[in-house]
Amino acid sequence: MFNLKKIKQNAPAVPIFVWTGLLVGIPLIYVVVLSFLSRDNLGNVVFEFTLENYKRIFDPVYLKVFYNSFLLAALTGLITLFIGYPVAYFTANLEPKRRSLAMGLIILPFWISSLLRIYGWIILLGNKGLINNLLLKFNIIKEPLIMMYNFGTTLVGTAYMLIPFMIIALFNSVDKLDRSLLEASYDLGASKWKTFFNITLPLTMPGIAGGFILVFIPSLGLFFISDLLGGGKNVFLGNLINAQVTKGRNKPLAAAFSVGMIVLVLIVLYIYNRITKDKKEGLFL
Amino acid sequence: MNTKPKRLRTFYLSLFFVILYIPVLSVILYSFNQSPSTAQWTGFTLDWYKELFNDRVIAEVFKISIVVAFLTSILSAILGTAAAIVALHVTKGMEKKINTVMILPLLIPEVALGVSLLLFFSALKLPFGYLTLVLSHSLFCVPYVYIMVQLRLKEIDISIIEAAKDLGAGTGQIIKTIILPLVMPSILTASLLAIAISLDDVVISTYMAGPTSTTLPVHIFSMMRVGVTPKINALCTLILVGTFFIVGLSQLISKTRKQKEEF
């Protein structure tokens, strides 16, 4: 049965769906279609159905790229969680004035150019960089340390870029924590660590899961970080898609990899929804 | 809390903030270094800034970036605000759907979104340049405006709107005389955020830029790939000063808003 009043009330929402449909929905459908098409020798797309592009994902070379990207994103999530949790926890316990100062310092990097923040690490970690200069000057080392252009540098850069997202998600969760539960736990004789693992940690789980999502998704696609800090030694999905589109001119293959990347995101989102299903405060969906 | 954990807390937080800001500060510091290499500090200079002002290419891409950022912020402010007002009007179930649809562009990794737009726009034979840049930037700026305006709308006392309705005001009149003035500070803050986001985007702009219309971050990225020069440091420092000016402005807006509310 159509409810005329409801339809009339919801009618103004139509343009919103048209906007997102045009700029997200249709392009994504187009990419999915494209990923099943082939190309000729000149790089033009030919309307001929093929599974070749998906078969190539399972080529060990490309499988390694998926593995690299997943590893980078998962490790970024874990590192930002371990470094960020104490930051969020301590900040939430600060007195009001210092607390807003700390929150300001956590949020400020959002306004600082991401290229500048990555470039800063080149200045610090380069062979002629600041850290090597200082270590050489004080005779701690004889030869400059080689810190740039490996998986670790990319990881440092990605974690550095995304840690504010993690901290904010964690902070919101820690801040909502009911202090009386902690006091009750202490009163009943539980130790600090026991209280943390039995009460604080489970109650802040939605923040942990939310922060993980907020860090995991973008870290799959920030190709400029691995380009600048990783030096192209380790290839990640973002770099591969970028190279296929701009240099390789293999649009169907790039489309198939994009679909693969989105599927990876969907799997993670699905797990996130399962984790936070019975808790009301999900981030989205 | 006794003093020992407190000291640990202060130490941990201080260490974290030092590491968070050292890369930024070293970029600023070396923009004033005479030597073109970071290997040594040879003295203070403003030469790199002078060289920057004589660079025609940078002036050109800067102009493009500013135009794109302003158009993006205007378009996203209009669309984001309109969507937030619509979400207030529709049924609860529809509001939830709108929330999901609005946040969708932020759930897709930027490369995938950029590539899908690139392939789609080139299939449509749209000319790459201002149009594609503004459309794609708006796509991921609208969610921020939507969220910020929606938060403010939820604070509005619904009885004011009911009263206006009872007194015979139409929807358009209510929006114009009640809702818009109340959410204006949020719209302005969100627009400034949109400018900052647009000015900072590298990934999507890489795909959306036309042959003659590269944006500043895309240009800086290509400069950085070639190597380290203090000119990049100087350019980054100037951009930092510019964005902090915008941050200051948005802080000022929210401050005056709070003062107004106290009356």
Side-chain angles (χ1 to χ4, degrees), chain A residues 96-133:
Chain A
K97 246 195 178 159
R98 287 181 150 207
R99 188 178 136 124
S100 46
L101 173 72
M103 271 323 269
L105 286 173
I106 292 164
I107 291 170
L108 197 61
F110 282 126
W111 295 87
I112 302 173
S113 152
S114 36
L115 282 172
L116 182 155
R117 288 192 281 151
I118 292 308
Y119 189 66
W121 284 101
I122 303 179
I123 303 243
L124 284 176
L125 299 177
N127 289 352
K128 290 177 179 173
L130 205 59
I131 292 176
N132 269 325
N133 292 345

Side-chain angles (χ1 to χ4, degrees), chain A residues 16, chain B residues 82-91 94-95 98-99 146 150:
Chain A
I16 297 173
Chain B
I85 292 175
V86 167
L88 198 69
H89 179 80
V90 297
T91 54
M94 183 52 84
E95 190 192 330
I98 295 178
N99 283 343
Y146 175 76
Q150 199 186 31

Side-chain angles (χ1 to χ4, degrees), chain B residues 143-164:
Chain B
Y144 292 100
V145 181
Y146 175 76
I147 292 166
M148 287 170 87
V149 173
Q150 199 186 31
L151 279 176
R152 177 78 185 126
L153 277 174
K154 291 245 159 99
E155 286 172 14
I156 295 180
D157 192 350
I158 209 88
S159 60
I160 305 175
I161 297 170
E162 304 274 309

Side-chain angles (χ1 to χ4, degrees), chain B residues 46-65:
Chain B
L46 285 174
D47 285 353
W48 305 109
Y49 288 89
K50 273 181 213 150
E51 200 178 302
L52 207 59
F53 283 109
N54 292 327
D55 192 320
R56 286 239 183 112
V57 181
I58 286 175
E60 183 57 34
V61 292
F62 178 69
K63 216 172 69 194
I64 293 168
S65 273

Side-chain angles (χ1 to χ4, degrees), chain A residues 228-283:
Chain A
L228 291 173
L229 295 179
K233 252 188 225 161
N234 293 90
V235 182
F236 299 95
L237 260 182
N239 309 77
L240 187 69
I241 295 173
N242 185 36
Q244 287 302 336
V245 166
T246 53
K247 291 176 210 127
R249 299 198 170 277
N250 194 342
K251 287 175 181 175
L253 188 64
F257 281 117
S258 301
V259 172
M261 185 188 255
I262 291 167
V263 169
L264 202 59
V265 169
L266 288 178
I267 293 171
V268 174
L269 278 179
Y270 176 75
I271 297 170
Y272 167 79
N273 271 347
R274 286 297 291 270
I275 290 174
T276 52
K277 206 177 169 186
D278 21 75
K279 294 171 186 102
K280 269 186 185 164
E281 37 176 345
L283 265 180

Side-chain angles (χ1 to χ4, degrees), chain A residues 15 18 23 39 44 62 93 101 118 127-128 157 164 216 264 285:
Chain A
V18 172
L23 290 177
R39 58 161 199 159
N44 297 317
Y62 291 126
N93 284 316
L101 173 72
I118 292 308
N127 289 352
K128 290 177 179 173
F216 188 91
L264 202 59
L285 302 175

Side-chain angles (χ1 to χ4, degrees), chain A residues 223 238 241-242 245-246, chain B residues 111 114-115 118 128 203-209:
Chain A
F223 65 78
I241 295 173
N242 185 36
V245 166
T246 53
Chain B
V111 181
V115 166
L118 169 80
F128 283 88
V203 178
I204 289 193
S205 303
T206 307
Y207 304 117
M208 291 297 114

Side-chain angles (χ1 to χ4, degrees), chain A residues 65-114:
Chain A
V65 174
F66 265 91
Y67 172 74
N68 279 346
S69 302
F70 180 79
L71 196 67
L72 180 75
L75 285 177
T76 305
L78 286 179
I79 287 177
T80 52
L81 175 64
F82 281 115
I83 297 175
Y85 202 98
V87 174
Y89 190 82
F90 291 148
T91 304
N93 284 316
L94 286 173
E95 49 265 51
K97 246 195 178 159
R98 287 181 150 207
R99 188 178 136 124
S100 46
L101 173 72
M103 271 323 269
L105 286 173
I106 292 164
I107 291 170
L108 197 61
F110 282 126
W111 295 87
I112 302 173
S113 152
S114 36

